[in-house]
């Protein structure tokens, strides 16, 4: 009986905060943040500017920096609303490694053999399978990874672009989304920042062949904060209705 109660308590904690085990920096600076004017575009923002990819009303040194082993190119569909996209989180938190391109702009690569495209197509391999099919040197020579930032209905126009042909597709293993916006899609359909995060966790395991120790957890810094904030507001609203 005691074990059952303990298991229920653990389940409740997990439902309340599924990110509790992650090594994420303190949110204190975000809790104190006020809406301010972006220094670059002069728009009114809170926490960060999703257009300029910079924090707003906060000292940048107070926000974590994440260093990634590959350069990240995110191709954004023109129909994807900037303010609703999580792609900007990657550009803000890993500014030295992340570039966002607005389709039909697609980056040019000197060697497509050194590029990975994260997309669950029929020909896509998991990173584990990719590692098995190629030599260690072939896997570690990758220098760029591409993500597509769009709704699933908008993806086809980007993924079918001939400029992305002959680039190795990879798919992620058993990752589950916690995105708060209704998707009407399976739980394996991830928000962009979730896809970036899970990719690098798997890259560390299968390609770098080293234990994961939270090196990339801060990629979810804004995502987790917003998730918990929305959860908190929903609980408060529910209590008010009951009262």
């Amino acid at each position: 009986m005691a074990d059952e109660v303990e298991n229920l308590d653990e389940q409740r904690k997990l439902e309340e905060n599924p990110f509790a085990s992650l090594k994420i920096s303190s949110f204190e600076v975000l809790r104190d943040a006020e809406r301010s004017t972006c220094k670059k575009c002069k728009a009114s923002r809170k926490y960060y500017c999703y257009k300029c990819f910079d924090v707003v009303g906060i000292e940048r040194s107070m926000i974590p920096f994440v260093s990634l082993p590959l350069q990240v190119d995110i191709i954004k569909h023109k129909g994807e609303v900037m303010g609703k996209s999580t792609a900007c989180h990657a550009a803000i938190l890993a500014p030295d490694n992340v570039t966002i391109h607005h389709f039909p702009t697609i980056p040019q690569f000197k060697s497509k053999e050194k590029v990975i495209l994260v997309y669950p197509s029929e020909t896509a391999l998991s990173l584990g399978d990719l590692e098995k099919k190629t030599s260690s040197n072939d896997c570690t020579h990758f220098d760029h990874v591409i993500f597509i930032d769009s709704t699933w209905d908008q993806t086809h126009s980007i993924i079918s672009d001939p400029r992305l042909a002959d680039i190795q597709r990879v798919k992620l293993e058993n990752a589950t989304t916690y995105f708060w916006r209704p998707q009407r899609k399976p739980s394996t359909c991830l928000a962009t920042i979730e896809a970036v995060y899970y990719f690098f966790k798997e890259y560390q395991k299968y390609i770098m062949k080293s234990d994961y120790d939270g090196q990339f957890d801060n990629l979810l810094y804004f995502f987790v904060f917003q998730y918990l904030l929305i959860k908190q507001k929903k609980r408060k609203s529910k209590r008010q209705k009951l009262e």
Side-chain angles (χ1 to χ4, degrees), residues 158-195:
I158 299 178
I159 200 65
S160 60
D161 192 290
R163 291 171 292 176
L164 295 177
D166 304 322
I167 293 178
Q168 176 65 58
R169 267 71 164 164
V170 299
K171 57 187 176 182
L172 302 175
E173 296 180 346
N174 304 317
T176 300
T177 186
Y178 288 98
F179 196 34
W180 48 87
R181 299 187 192 281
Q183 301 293 303
R184 290 178 293 182
K185 296 290 181 182
S187 61
T188 52
C189 294
L190 307 175
T192 301
I193 193 62
E194 291 178 299

Side-chain angles (χ1 to χ4, degrees), residues 24-241:
I24 294 184
S25 299
S26 170
F27 297 130
E28 200 61 38
V29 66
L30 298 181
R31 294 191 183 100
D32 296 336
E34 299 287 343
R35 179 169 286 274
S36 303
T37 300
C38 174
K39 294 179 180 178
K40 296 179 181 177
C41 69
K42 308 305 179 184
S44 176
R45 307 283 193 226
K46 191 169 185 180
Y47 309 126
Y48 57 80
C49 180
Y50 48 78
K51 179 181 178 182
C52 302
F53 312 135
D54 200 3
V55 295
V56 177
I58 301 169
E59 286 293 330
R60 181 61 186 85
S61 60
M62 302 296 289
I63 301 297
F65 277 96
V66 182
S67 179
L68 303 175
L70 299 178
Q71 291 301 116
V72 175
D73 292 285
I74 299 176
I75 302 174
K76 176 184 282 294
H77 191 279
K78 61 182 179 181
E80 182 71 357
V81 179
M82 294 283 285
K84 293 183 179 181
S85 170
T86 61
C88 60
H89 296 183
I92 296 168
L93 295 165
D96 293 338
N97 303 115
V98 178
T99 305
I100 295 181
H101 311 268
H102 297 271
F103 188 75
T105 298
I106 288 180
Q108 294 183 338
F109 302 103
K110 292 181 179 179
S111 176
K112 288 186 177 181
E113 289 76 18
K114 294 184 178 182
V115 184
I116 302 172
L117 172 58
V118 179
Y119 185 77
S121 64
E122 293 181 0
T123 60
L125 298 174
S126 68
L127 284 173
D129 288 337
L130 181 62
E131 188 275 332
K132 291 174 186 175
K133 288 188 64 174
T134 56
S135 71
S136 177
N137 287 337
D138 286 339
C139 276
T140 54
H141 79 185
F142 293 122
D143 54 20
H144 282 260
V145 57
I146 301 172
F147 296 87
I148 294 175
D149 185 50
S150 73
T151 65
W152 285 100
D153 294 335
Q154 296 167 341
T155 302
H156 179 74
S157 61
I158 299 178
I159 200 65
S160 60
D161 192 290
R163 291 171 292 176
L164 295 177
D166 304 322
I167 293 178
Q168 176 65 58
R169 267 71 164 164
V170 299
K171 57 187 176 182
L172 302 175
E173 296 180 346
N174 304 317
T176 300
T177 186
Y178 288 98
F179 196 34
W180 48 87
R181 299 187 192 281
Q183 301 293 303
R184 290 178 293 182
K185 296 290 181 182
S187 61
T188 52
C189 294
L190 307 175
T192 301
I193 193 62
E194 291 178 299
V196 175
Y197 168 70
Y198 283 112
F199 169 82
F200 280 108
K201 278 191 71 175
E202 293 184 16
Y203 189 85
Q204 183 79 12
K205 176 181 178 180
Y206 294 112
I207 309 302
M208 304 300 289
K209 295 185 182 301
S210 61
D211 293 335
Y212 183 72
D213 190 32
Q215 299 96 315
F216 311 120
D217 285 359
N218 271 325
L219 283 171
L220 295 178
Y221 181 74
F222 290 116
F223 185 89
V224 173
F225 176 75
Q226 291 174 333
Y227 174 90
L228 296 176
L229 195 63
I230 290 168
K231 272 275 190 180
Q232 183 181 43
K233 288 180 179 179
K234 286 182 177 179
R235 287 197 306 270
K236 184 177 179 181
S237 177
K238 187 176 181 179
R239 285 198 302 268
Q240 288 174 340
K241 287 180 181 178

